[in-house]
Amino acid sequence: MAAVQIVGSLLREPTREAAREPPPEPGNGFRRLSARLRALHPDDSSSARTEIHLLFDQLISENYSEGDGVAPEDVSALLVHACRLVPLNQNHLVSKVSQLIHHLLNRLQVIVDEQNLDFLLAYTISAIQQCSSWTHMAILQALAALVYCNGSKCQKYLPDLVGKTGLLIKLSDPAQSDPEVRRAAVHCMANLCLSVPGHPYLDEPYQSICFQTFLTTLQSPKLSDMDDITFCMLLQNALKGIQSLLNSGKMKLTQTEELGALLAVLKKAMFHGLPGLNIEIPTVLYPTPLPQYDGPPPSRPQPSESCASRPPVNKKKKAKVKPKKTQEGEEEDEEANGEIEAAPTTGRVHLHKGNTQCRSSPGVQSLPLAGSGAAGKDRVSSPCSSSSWKRVSSSESDYSDAEGGMQSKMRSYQAKVRQGALACFLSTIKSIEKKVLYGYWSAFVPDTPELGSPQSVSLMTLTLKDPSPKTRACALQVLSAILEGSKQFLCVAEDTSAHRRAFTPLSVMIASSIRELHRCLLLALVAESSSQTLTQIIKCLANLVSNAPYNRLKLSLLTKVWNQIKPYIRHKDVNVRVSSLTLLGAIVSTHAPLPEVQLLLQQPCSSGLSNSSSATPHPSLPDWWKKAPSGTSQEETTVNSPRGSSEPCWLIRLCISIVVLPKEDSCSGSEAGSAAGSTYEPSPMRLEALQVLAHLARGYFSMAQVYLMELGEVICKCMGEADPSIQLHGAKLLEELGTGLIQQYKPDSTIAPDQRVPVLLVVTFWTMMLNGPLPKALQNSEHPTLQASACDALSSILPEAFSILPNDRQILCITMLLGLNDNKNRLVKAATSRALGVYVLFPCLRQDVIFVADTANAVLRSLQDKSPNVRAKAAWSLGNLTDALIINMETPDPSFQEEFSGLLLLKMLRSAIEASKDKDKVKSNAVRALGNLLHFLQPSHIEKPRFTEIIEESIQALISTVLVEAAMKVRWNACYALGNVFKNPALPLGTASWTSRAYSALTSVVTTCKNFKVRIKSATALSIPGKREQYGSTEQYTQIWNALVTALQKSQDTTDFLEFKYCASLRTQICQALIHLLSLASASDLPCIKEALEQNGDMIQSYILQFLKSGAEGDDTGTPHSPQERDQMVKAALEHIGSIQALAGDTAKRAIMGYLEDILTVYLDSAGSQVALLGLTDR
């Protein structure tokens, strides 16, 4: 542990030499000395004190190592006995026993049990209160070691330690005279705040006190009596304390002032000691879209961009590098220096020179690391750290000069402060909502500087200027965390048109920031020589690409990224190669298909790939990249390729070669993840290549289809391998290709028939799959995830191709799916249920009564499963199955309805009723199925008594779902289902007892529901009945009419801005429903209609005129859109009203007719047409 170094630096008195003995076995020295110590009893004599001193020194100087066989309980018991031997009035012994506690707990990695901790804490707290101030440093070090990972067991001592007047609060005060004591007190608090999962945590008052102490420490300037290294260690401890509080998940930064103050000190600490940078940060950062004041610019001119802000290597000064075994804490220290970076496969060393002196790490044995947490057992790695860093120790000869060694040590500690600040910032990002974080975007993300003004400091400043590779990587990790999930924030960016306004819109500012991020990251990419940091740069670029709205930005951003990243595909480090493929995958998946990316994919395969970076040489690409697609004939290639794109897609060719061809020796370095003796590229490379192929199949299928048969061979090869992850990605690629083929043949597809893959070729493709390893993958019970993916892939078969597959292959697919539906694994069962729901809509299967019945029984069994996911998929499939029943009703052949089992219908109704009480994901499809089933019921079913009760229950379930406060999708589906019920003329709509309840539910929703799409669907359902008697009594009709008028009045009443875009569609649907009701009205209904027109006639007239003129834009309600259809509806209603035999003296008929005539006259006049209405009014 690094903690030992602190003790070594504090203990200056020589230990007494014991008699020379042969080296003892591990743990024997501790046991022997422990036995001697336990034999002592409290004694205040001088000789006893001398003997205790001697034993303590021997215990401290003993050579311990972790895993020496020393039991933790023995260490705890020894420390308790040692404290019993030392009275608090013996300052020197108290200091020595404190050093012993700190030393043993750190070296032997012991966490004290609760009972012994209770005694030791009471002892150390009393020691601080009673002993001389010169002992406080050692006592605080012991206290830090005791409370490490023991915060939950210190509850009763918290008032004494971190209460408002607690010891640690007093000792950590900026006014504390001894800076080392202040630092040690802050370190104790940081260890006390360290959370252990599953254990109680600090109560909120203590959290706030500790947080404010840490924040005050970070805000306080360095005092004149404090040396630079102590100040750095103080800052590190305060940062670690805040990070522990945030990582616990209990600390919530809800106050703007609190969060702003934290972000301000983090920004200040992020640049602590950065060469050439001296800025003033405000005490509080506030959320604003504008860049905030960063104080004076750097005192010296910045290096040019071409140097990427880090000057070139000083070639006159070379450092000799040799590996050196060090302890974990020492390795971390060298890593933090970041001055020396070994090449992964060679002995070359890259020196990053940020100022005039060469950076090299000093001898690590003499470095005190308490500030980094060593004094309190800093065994928790920073989120910004990575176990894969190459660590190299420098030669001692580099530090013959004491001044140079101190400066290097100083830079090391300053780099640790910056890394600690970035790690703390990462925890802050994870603990606050993204929408809050983006208020501070401009404080940490660069923006294009104004002409003549310096660029504001940001995370990119560290990425480009920091001399430590680890700090640069940490800054990139933080930037990645900010960019992750930022799509909703960045989507407002736009710079496609020239900005000519007096102010700068937010959209232009964010677009400018995105452009600057691209520029800086590409600069960093070219300048970086550390493979680990290079990987982080590329991952950060991938995050940026995944979230930026390139469809709203000027062209060329992606082209620059594309051309810069291509050489790194052949980088010697496998992690760089994998991340490069990840970035290419992000480019081809963002807002696909983008014209810019389409052009990039069509570039010649050699374009940009021979470029080499000054930092990283890249071999030129082999000839196999230029090979034409194999596996298809020239004729097939011509038929399948999009017109004018005969150039093969180089990226698909690259990915295929990575997956199936043997690896090259030139890029075999750092082959992490590859099996020993493997002839292929490392597994991560192959998996990433398969993912890129899947992205291309999803977003740029017109290019992927050229390689259809060759990709089929790749899939067969992958699914035939032993590695389950390769098999899984092969199945995913198959699913994407299948989905792309289905999209081409959809009725609304814009792909010209001659540009589609011919059905016969699709049949050949799927025959190859079904004759290959796909059936074996479906039966691979050892890997259920693979089985589930294979089911998903099988469900993506083109229906037109399935119908002409060989009969035995069709039977194989159906048999496999029906058999797997009873699988015990829930992933497999869910995927199978979904696949059956797809198959049941295939034209060649949906009229097969036996298959539909088998599918229904399988789906009903899955609806009883304990897994919510299985039930959700089964409910979706049940909805699809009932859709198939409705489609079959529309065929002229009634045999399907006659042969379908009535008992099975009953079972389906009962299961759907039960499912309608389930969770929302199940419920939404269950009510859809109920509506379809009630629509499908034939008169022969409805006449049977056993159906009467189930129909009543089904409709009641729908009514309840319409009225319940559930998700929008559930209520929408319930309204849709009721509309389906109204379409069945065999049901006693209008006379049944459930009629009034159904209409009441729909009228309630159409007037009060917050979601306008649900209102639209309820208005649609109200306009479905085709006969007046189906609306029930006059009172019922009046209620519906008045509800629709009220809904029209409230069609703009919403507090949700997102609902406004549906206002026009809602009014259109309500107007159609009102006109439909008019066209069915009876004589007894006219008075209520007249009354409504008298009260709201002008409002209704204005909306009906809007309906006649424009209709609904983008509506999916089935409303007629042509002007002829719309005015024909009003004329039909006018004719119907005119045909009603009104009662004598009733003026309602004349008033309504006059009202409709006025509407038509105004509409026709506004259209420039004069039509005689005499023929209509004579009636």
Side-chain angles (χ1 to χ4, degrees):
M1 283 292 295
V4 185
Q5 298 158 14
I6 302 161
V7 176
S9 66
L10 291 168
L11 296 176
R12 299 302 177 202
E13 49 185 297
T15 58
R16 304 192 181 201
E17 291 191 11
R20 300 271 179 184
E21 297 178 1
E25 294 181 12
N28 281 353
F30 174 83
R31 295 187 187 93
R32 177 173 47 80
L33 294 170
S34 177
R36 286 176 56 190
L37 189 68
R38 285 168 180 273
L40 298 179
H41 299 285
D43 188 348
D44 201 27
S45 66
S46 175
S47 60
R49 289 201 300 273
T50 302
E51 187 171 6
I52 292 171
H53 260 295
L54 176 62
L55 280 172
F56 284 175
D57 284 340
Q58 288 176 326
L59 279 165
I60 290 171
S61 62
E62 186 71 23
N63 186 23
Y64 302 105
S65 62
E66 199 175 348
D68 265 352
V70 180
E73 55 270 19
D74 293 342
V75 177
S76 301
L78 170 73
L79 294 177
V80 168
H81 187 72
C83 290
R84 293 186 197 277
L85 293 175
V86 178
L88 294 177
N89 59 359
Q90 296 292 328
N91 285 333
H92 284 87
L93 276 178
V94 169
S95 175
K96 189 59 66 73
V97 78
S98 298
Q99 293 168 15
L100 178 65
I101 292 170
H102 169 250
H103 184 78
L104 288 180
L105 294 183
N106 275 280
R107 284 309 294 262
L108 295 173
Q109 302 283 283
V110 171
I111 305 244
V112 182
D113 60 276
E114 191 164 1
Q115 184 178 353
N116 289 320
L117 178 70
D118 196 51
F119 174 83
L120 292 169
L121 281 177
Y123 182 86
T124 50
I125 290 171
S126 300
I128 293 174
Q129 292 169 336
Q130 297 179 33
C131 294
S132 300
S133 59
W134 67 266
T135 65
H136 287 177
M137 181 65 188
I139 299 169
L140 285 170
Q141 286 184 320
L143 182 60
L146 286 168
V147 300
Y148 181 83
C149 286
N150 265 331
S152 60
K153 302 172 188 171
C154 304
Q155 295 294 328
K156 72 177 183 179
Y157 295 102
L158 290 179
D160 295 329
L161 292 171
V162 289
K164 288 188 178 178
T165 57
L167 288 172
L168 296 180
I169 302 301
K170 290 178 180 176
L171 294 174
S172 62
D173 191 270
Q176 168 61 234
S177 58
D178 188 340
E180 285 289 348
V181 169
R182 180 186 171 198
R183 183 200 61 72
V186 173
H187 188 203
C188 281
M189 290 177 65
N191 282 3
L192 193 61
C193 293
L194 190 64
S195 60
V196 180
H199 289 78
Y201 195 61
L202 290 181
D203 293 333
E204 198 280 326
Y206 298 118
Q207 284 185 39
S208 298
I209 291 170
C210 291
F211 179 80
Q212 284 304 322
T213 303
F214 294 139
L215 198 59
T216 303
T217 302
L218 291 169
Q219 289 170 334
S220 303
K222 184 174 84 70
L223 301 178
S224 57
D225 60 343
M226 183 182 291
D227 64 86
D228 288 336
I229 288 182
T230 302
F231 183 59
C232 285
M233 296 161 80
L234 176 68
L235 294 178
Q236 286 179 61
N237 290 327
L239 289 166
K240 193 156 292 186
I242 292 178
Q243 187 182 354
S244 295
L245 286 170
L246 294 171
N247 286 346
S248 71
K250 306 291 182 185
M251 183 85 188
K252 299 299 179 188
L253 298 167
T254 54
Q255 300 297 321
T256 303
E257 289 283 336
E258 186 179 59
L259 176 59
L262 173 60
L263 292 177
V265 294
L266 289 181
K267 184 169 183 180
K268 182 180 178 182
M270 275 167 25
F271 299 102
H272 181 76
L274 188 64
L277 199 65
N278 184 22
I279 57 171
E280 290 295 329
I281 306 290
T283 54
V284 180
L285 293 179
Y286 292 99
T288 169
L290 296 170
Q292 298 184 45
Y293 175 70
D294 284 333
S299 56
R300 61 179 185 176
Q302 301 301 310
S304 65
E305 288 179 4
S306 60
C307 297
S309 303
R310 291 201 302 277
V313 175
N314 183 355
K315 296 184 180 178
K316 293 182 181 178
K317 205 165 188 179
K318 295 183 180 178
K320 296 179 182 177
V321 178
K322 62 178 181 178
K324 186 173 182 180
K325 290 185 179 178
T326 55
Q327 294 178 6
E328 181 182 352
E330 295 165 349
E331 289 181 341
E332 287 180 1
D333 183 57
E334 293 176 29
E335 179 186 334
N337 268 347
E339 281 35 277
I340 297 187
E341 175 69 29
T345 54
T346 68
R348 288 181 297 124
V349 176
H350 305 288
L351 296 179
H352 302 296
K353 186 180 176 188
N355 54 22
T356 56
Q357 294 174 342
C358 176
R359 292 182 184 77
S360 303
S361 48
V364 291
Q365 277 71 15
S366 62
L367 289 185
L369 295 181
S372 63
K377 303 161 119 176
D378 181 23
R379 293 198 289 268
V380 180
S381 63
S382 163
C384 289
S385 68
S386 168
S387 60
S388 63
W389 291 92
K390 302 284 186 290
R391 299 184 177 107
V392 185
S393 163
S394 69
S395 165
E396 296 292 339
S397 62
D398 294 336
Y399 298 103
S400 55
D401 181 354
E403 183 184 351
M406 282 305 297
Q407 286 183 348
S408 180
K409 184 193 291 189
M410 186 67 243
R411 289 196 297 273
S412 166
Y413 277 91
Q414 289 172 340
K416 279 185 175 290
V417 172
R418 298 197 294 275
Q419 291 158 24
L422 290 165
C424 190
F425 191 15
L426 198 58
S427 298
T428 307
I429 290 169
K430 293 175 181 176
S431 65
I432 60 177
E433 291 184 56
K434 280 295 178 75
K435 64 181 181 182
V436 176
L437 172 67
Y438 293 137
Y440 301 91
W441 173 271
S442 60
F444 297 98
V445 180
D447 190 12
T448 306
E450 295 293 332
L451 192 64
S453 63
Q455 188 174 37
S456 60
V457 292
S458 66
L459 288 165
M460 285 312 307
T461 309
L462 290 173
T463 304
L464 290 168
K465 297 178 184 295
D466 200 291
S468 163
K470 184 177 179 183
T471 310
R472 299 198 296 273
C474 287
L476 288 160
Q477 275 187 284
V478 173
L479 183 57
S480 282
I482 293 173
L483 290 171
E484 192 174 352
S486 60
K487 187 173 287 187
Q488 194 171 2
F489 171 69
L490 297 181
C491 71
V492 302
E494 185 173 15
D495 68 348
T496 50
S497 56
H499 168 58
R500 300 181 183 277
R501 300 176 193 168
F503 63 95
T504 304
L506 178 64
S507 59
V508 173
M509 291 173 60
I510 296 176
S512 169
S513 184
I514 292 172
R515 279 199 310 273
E516 185 66 7
L517 271 175
H518 279 79
R519 188 186 72 85
C520 292
L521 285 170
L522 291 178
L523 275 177
L525 183 70
V526 173
E528 189 56 64
S529 59
S530 160
S531 294
Q532 290 80 14
T533 312
L534 198 56
T535 304
Q536 289 298 332
I537 293 171
I538 299 171
K539 286 181 177 178
C540 193
L541 268 170
N543 253 332
L544 174 60
V545 168
S546 297
N547 291 284
Y550 293 100
N551 54 334
R552 295 166 59 89
L553 301 174
K554 288 177 182 175
L555 298 178
S556 81
L557 284 180
L558 282 176
T559 303
K560 290 175 183 175
V561 176
W562 183 274
N563 292 331
Q564 287 274 71
I565 200 61
K566 280 167 79 173
Y568 292 89
I569 300 166
R570 311 301 299 165
H571 194 277
K572 59 188 173 238
D573 187 277
V574 67
N575 293 316
V576 175
R577 301 207 300 276
V578 171
S579 56
S580 299
L581 279 177
T582 304
L583 176 52
L584 287 172
I587 291 173
V588 298
S589 61
T590 184
H591 299 282
L594 284 174
E596 183 180 1
V597 176
Q598 196 130 11
L599 290 172
L600 291 171
L601 288 168
Q602 291 172 344
Q603 283 180 352
C605 59
S606 58
S607 175
L609 287 162
S610 58
N611 297 343
S612 62
S613 162
S614 59
T616 311
H618 308 289
S620 60
L621 292 172
D623 291 337
W624 44 254
W625 276 43
K626 302 176 185 178
K627 187 173 67 173
S630 62
T632 57
S633 66
Q634 185 62 41
E635 289 76 19
E636 286 172 348
T637 303
T638 305
V639 169
N640 298 330
S641 62
R643 195 169 292 166
S645 64
S646 58
E647 172 74 31
C649 176
W650 69 267
L651 184 54
I652 295 179
R653 171 63 54 210
L654 167 68
C655 292
I656 291 174
S657 66
I658 288 171
V659 174
V660 301
L661 293 184
K663 63 184 177 186
E664 294 180 27
D665 294 336
S666 61
C667 50
S668 58
S670 305
E671 300 297 342
S674 63
S678 171
T679 59
Y680 295 107
E681 285 280 355
S683 183
M685 274 288 286
R686 301 179 73 203
L687 293 175
E688 202 61 48
L690 285 167
Q691 285 197 36
V692 173
L693 287 173
H695 290 317
L696 284 163
R698 186 185 307 124
Y700 299 88
F701 186 78
S702 61
M703 293 190 168
Q705 72 182 52
V706 180
Y707 298 81
L708 182 63
M709 296 307 294
E710 189 172 1
L711 288 172
E713 292 173 8
V714 171
I715 292 165
C716 286
K717 176 174 176 52
C718 290
M719 294 185 72
E721 291 193 18
D723 186 349
S725 57
I726 297 286
Q727 291 177 300
L728 183 64
H729 280 73
K732 295 284 187 187
L733 176 56
L734 175 57
E735 183 186 354
E736 292 296 347
L737 287 171
T739 305
L741 290 166
I742 290 171
Q743 294 295 331
Q744 281 197 339
Y745 279 87
K746 278 193 170 179
D748 57 351
S749 173
T750 56
I751 307 295
D754 63 331
Q755 295 290 295
R756 299 175 185 174
V757 179
V759 175
L760 289 177
L761 187 60
V762 180
V763 172
T764 307
F765 173 80
W766 278 105
T767 304
M768 178 169 68
M769 295 297 108
L770 294 170
N771 290 337
L774 182 58
K776 188 177 178 182
L778 285 163
Q779 295 172 311
N780 190 347
S781 56
E782 292 181 7
H783 299 290
T785 308
L786 175 61
Q787 279 184 293
S789 287
C791 282
D792 290 336
L794 199 61
S795 69
S796 67
I797 189 167
L798 183 69
E800 291 87 341
F802 184 87
S803 61
I804 51 178
L805 275 176
N807 197 45
D808 61 330
R809 299 299 90 182
Q810 291 187 21
I811 293 171
L812 173 69
C813 294
I814 293 168
T815 308
M816 285 275 197
L817 291 177
L818 288 172
L820 284 171
N821 191 70
D822 294 323
N823 195 291
K824 292 180 181 178
N825 185 278
R826 290 169 182 174
L827 276 176
V828 179
K829 199 167 185 177
T832 308
S833 294
R834 181 189 169 279
L836 286 170
V838 172
Y839 274 46
V840 80
L841 286 172
F842 283 6
C844 62
L845 293 177
R846 67 173 176 240
Q847 290 187 340
D848 184 334
V849 177
I850 296 174
F851 172 73
V852 174
D854 287 344
T855 301
N857 283 313
V859 167
L860 293 182
R861 287 196 300 274
S862 296
L863 267 179
Q864 309 303 317
D865 197 88
K866 293 180 181 178
S867 165
N869 188 40
V870 173
R871 296 199 305 276
K873 300 290 186 187
W876 180 82
S877 293
L878 183 61
N880 279 12
L881 190 148
T882 56
D883 284 343
L885 298 183
I886 301 301
I887 294 170
N888 288 338
M889 284 177 65
E890 297 167 1
T891 59
D893 184 6
S895 58
F896 182 89
Q897 292 95 302
E898 294 167 1
E899 294 175 21
F900 199 76
S901 167
L903 285 174
L904 185 54
L905 276 174
L906 275 174
K907 280 175 64 178
M908 291 166 71
L909 282 165
R910 288 196 183 98
S911 293
I913 291 169
E914 285 304 310
S916 70
K917 302 169 187 172
D918 207 329
K919 296 184 177 180
D920 283 355
K921 284 188 176 180
V922 181
K923 189 184 294 185
S924 60
N925 283 300
V927 293
R928 173 166 73 102
L930 273 176
N932 283 334
L933 288 168
L934 291 169
H935 183 190
F936 178 77
L937 289 179
Q938 305 301 305
S940 58
H941 299 131
I942 297 170
E943 291 166 2
K944 296 177 182 176
R946 62 185 177 185
F947 274 91
T948 306
E949 186 179 347
I950 201 77
I951 290 171
E952 176 80 25
E953 287 180 30
S954 300
I955 293 174
Q956 185 54 50
L958 292 177
I959 292 168
S960 301
T961 311
V962 167
L963 293 172
V964 75
E965 285 296 326
M968 178 276 291
K969 186 177 179 181
V970 174
R971 301 182 76 183
W972 188 95
N973 271 317
C975 293
Y976 174 82
L978 273 179
N980 254 342
V981 174
F982 295 166
K983 290 177 182 177
N984 190 341
L987 288 173
L989 178 62
T991 57
S993 58
W994 47 262
T995 301
S996 60
R997 298 198 301 274
Y999 284 131
S1000 294
L1002 290 170
T1003 52
S1004 171
V1005 168
V1006 82
T1007 53
T1008 61
C1009 185
K1010 293 178 182 177
N1011 187 279
F1012 277 23
K1013 291 183 91 172
V1014 177
R1015 286 202 208 181
I1016 292 167
K1017 192 49 66 176
S1018 60
T1020 305
L1022 287 170
S1023 64
I1024 284 175
K1027 298 178 181 178
R1028 170 61 187 86
E1029 54 268 24
Q1030 289 180 318
Y1031 282 102
S1033 64
T1034 301
E1035 290 75 16
Q1036 182 71 62
Y1037 181 96
T1038 303
Q1039 179 194 348
I1040 297 168
W1041 174 269
N1042 289 333
L1044 287 168
V1045 172
T1046 304
L1048 199 57
Q1049 278 181 307
K1050 294 181 176 180
S1051 59
Q1052 281 186 311
D1053 295 351
T1054 179
T1055 56
D1056 188 350
F1057 177 76
L1058 295 175
E1059 297 299 325
F1060 277 112
K1061 61 183 176 181
Y1062 300 113
C1063 286
S1065 296
L1066 175 60
R1067 287 194 291 269
T1068 296
Q1069 193 55 56
I1070 293 172
C1071 288
Q1072 182 185 338
L1074 286 171
I1075 295 167
H1076 177 73
L1077 283 171
L1078 281 172
S1079 65
L1080 297 177
S1082 63
S1084 58
D1085 303 324
L1086 298 182
C1088 82
I1089 296 172
K1090 178 191 174 187
E1091 184 180 351
L1093 294 178
E1094 287 174 350
Q1095 294 175 0
N1096 302 287
D1098 292 342
M1099 180 269 297
I1100 296 171
Q1101 184 183 42
S1102 67
Y1103 285 133
I1104 289 181
L1105 284 170
Q1106 282 183 25
F1107 165 69
L1108 289 171
K1109 291 173 185 177
S1110 59
E1113 295 179 8
D1115 186 29
D1116 59 351
T1117 58
T1119 303
H1121 289 287
S1122 73
Q1124 293 79 11
E1125 289 176 313
R1126 292 195 294 271
D1127 65 34
Q1128 194 58 45
M1129 287 174 61
V1130 179
K1131 288 176 184 177
L1134 180 56
E1135 279 193 49
H1136 172 75
I1137 297 294
S1139 66
I1140 295 174
Q1141 296 297 321
L1143 300 175
D1146 185 4
T1147 60
K1149 174 182 171 181
R1150 183 67 256 170
I1152 296 168
M1153 289 184 66
Y1155 183 81
L1156 292 176
E1157 288 166 1
D1158 289 345
I1159 288 174
L1160 280 172
T1161 302
V1162 172
Y1163 168 64
L1164 294 171
D1165 284 347
S1166 66
S1169 304
Q1170 298 296 327
V1171 179
L1173 299 176
L1174 295 175
L1176 294 173
T1177 54
D1178 283 345
R1179 295 182 178 228

